[in-house]
Amino acid sequence: MKRLPFDYAVRNLGRSRLRLAATIGGSALVVLLVVTAAAFVQGMRRSLTISPDSTNVILLASGSEESVERSQIGNSVPSHAIAGISGIREELGTQFVSPEIHMALVVSREAGNPEELRTVLRGVTPTAYLVHPQTEIIEGRAPRQGHDEIMVGQLTHEKMGISKSDLAIGESLWFDDRPWEIVGHFRAPGTVMDAEIWMPLTDLQMAANNEELSCVILTLDTAEFADVDAWTKTRLDLELVAISESEYYASLQRFYRPVQLMVWVTAALMALSGLLGGLNTLYAAFSARTREVGMLQSLGFPRRAIFLSILQESVLAASTGALMACVFSWVLLDGVAVRFSMGVFQLSVDSGATAAGLVAGVLTGIVGSIPPALRCLRLPIPSALKAT
Amino acid sequence: MHVFSRPLIALSMFAGVLLLGACDSQTTTVATPTASEQTEKAAALPTGLFSSEPLAGIQTLLNVKESASAGDSVTFVANIAGRAEPFTEGRAIMLVADLALQLCTEDHCATPYDACCEPIETITEHTATVQVIDKQDRPLKIGLKGQGSLEPGAEVQVRGTVHQAGDGYFVINAQTIHVPG
């Protein structure tokens, strides 16, 4: 088959800078929407995913499997668990058993300030750092018990909708009618803990006037999940259920799946409108070149060769737009914090999102070029040559 | 025009490289069970655990809980109920509830046997644990769900020995189980 040189397609792009800009812009818009949707879904998924190597098991109140915050279990559960379950991980005589309270509270920056800053507080003991190894104190220190001290996550300010400086070390947050001094910053990347406030367990119990726990998290060593589940079923008096940490977060992911689906559908609809806009531009671009197509055919170039050249032209422009959109999203979108009911997650423009965007860009170029190319090539040569 | 085309060609080639680079090279390996895991999975329930004949001398579970203490032989009837998942996967343990415990009859309830309409204290009061143990007094490493028609919500007759009876918990080592047809 006699082919048109690749340069021909490339040079054609420069015939109208405005149309080229519109084609690139349309493609960039489609790709940007796809990358944003993928980054949103991926970011949310990451924040609700725990390492597949996690051997943590959560003990919750029976009937509260779907929400740790709703769960209330007895203060004695940790000691019963240590005594009743053999094979819990242990280091230097300390069992990896973390009693915790998870509580959504309204706090303020000053006394009497009517502002309502919603946040999630977690009351912990030092063993929390053992069962949550992804947690790292990056500034300051851990809060001391009985000193009205707290420690904030690196994304807590995003969750509360305030500036980062408001939660600097030395600042205070008010709840339970008194100030709580911020003495440390921590991070737990890619988890919901990143947007929480941590404080000593007993301090939170006293502040909330609640002697019970929300859950106990334990790390298994030689024990299996079935051993813990069996133990909860023999200690019916404790009214517990055991759920593996990975399963708990998987259930949260299932809960948020409709939101992720809605994001994809919205992005698809908006991308479709961008695609139609690009299609319109290409229609206009190729309609004006009907005579040129007729001329190429009369010079002996088969329709397939001309179609291929048009395809190259369109894919080249769309790929350029896709590339620009990917760079734009890397620079401006990656890491952007998004608030949701569980806390905060960061948009994640990773390799998957970039690949999805680039594929969408190439597809836009292919799909966008087919209808106008077919329209140009449909005409017989004499009619095409006479076209105005 | 040639000057204009070169950056575009370079950009498109870069896009191609990115596309290839974006593909994840991670491979997934499928873990094969070890010999010890296979041996554990082969753990079997004792022959004669399931009886096709109804058991004699049946009491209600509540009666048994009130009167029996550790070591006593008991025979009772109950429903497999008390939790959304009354069985433990991989262990011969299940929860049973006295027939008097009102199971959730709401139309939308997918797991009526968890008795979610009742207060947790009532559920605890009406439930007990049935286990099948090995020679070391540990539950066998085999799930009971699906064995001998044992399913959540099913009525069962159990004969066994009280293993533990405490304040709020009651564990029976089952020797015979009958599931009425």
Side-chain angles (χ1 to χ4, degrees), chain A residues 7 10 224 227 229 233 239, chain B residues 2 5 85 88 91 124 129:
Chain A
D7 259 19
V10 176
E224 296 171 12
D227 295 319
D229 190 41
K233 287 192 166 84
E239 297 164 355
Chain B
H2 277 290
S5 70
E85 184 44 84
T88 290
R91 296 292 183 276
T124 304
T129 311

Side-chain angles (χ1 to χ4, degrees), chain A residues 6-7 10-11 13-15 17 20 24 62-63 65 224-227 229-241 316-317 319-320 323-324 326-327 330 351-352 354-355 358-359 362, chain B residues 1-2 4-6 8-9 11-12 14-15 18-19 21-24 40 82-91 93-95 120-121 124 127-129 131 139 141 164 167-171:
Chain A
F6 184 62
D7 259 19
V10 176
R11 283 199 305 274
L13 284 173
R15 288 165 70 162
R17 300 275 168 107
L20 177 64
I24 290 176
S62 176
E65 293 91 332
E224 296 171 12
F225 172 75
D227 295 319
D229 190 41
W231 176 76
T232 62
K233 287 192 166 84
T234 53
R235 288 305 305 263
L236 296 175
D237 55 319
L238 300 175
E239 297 164 355
L240 298 172
V241 287
L316 201 55
S319 302
T320 307
L323 196 60
M324 287 166 63
C326 285
V327 172
W330 273 335
S351 56
T354 308
L358 291 174
V359 169
V362 173
Chain B
M1 286 294 181
H2 277 290
F4 179 69
S5 70
R6 279 183 190 145
L8 275 174
I9 294 170
L11 276 174
S12 59
F14 184 44
L18 270 179
L19 251 178
C23 297
D24 213 330
E40 281 181 4
R83 292 283 188 277
E85 184 44 84
F87 294 98
T88 290
E89 198 178 326
R91 296 292 183 276
I93 280 191
M94 64 180 178
L95 294 186
I120 185 69
E121 297 79 16
T124 304
T127 46
T129 311
Q131 61 180 10
K141 290 191 172 183
Q164 286 178 311
D167 187 14
Y169 61 97
F170 197 82
V171 185

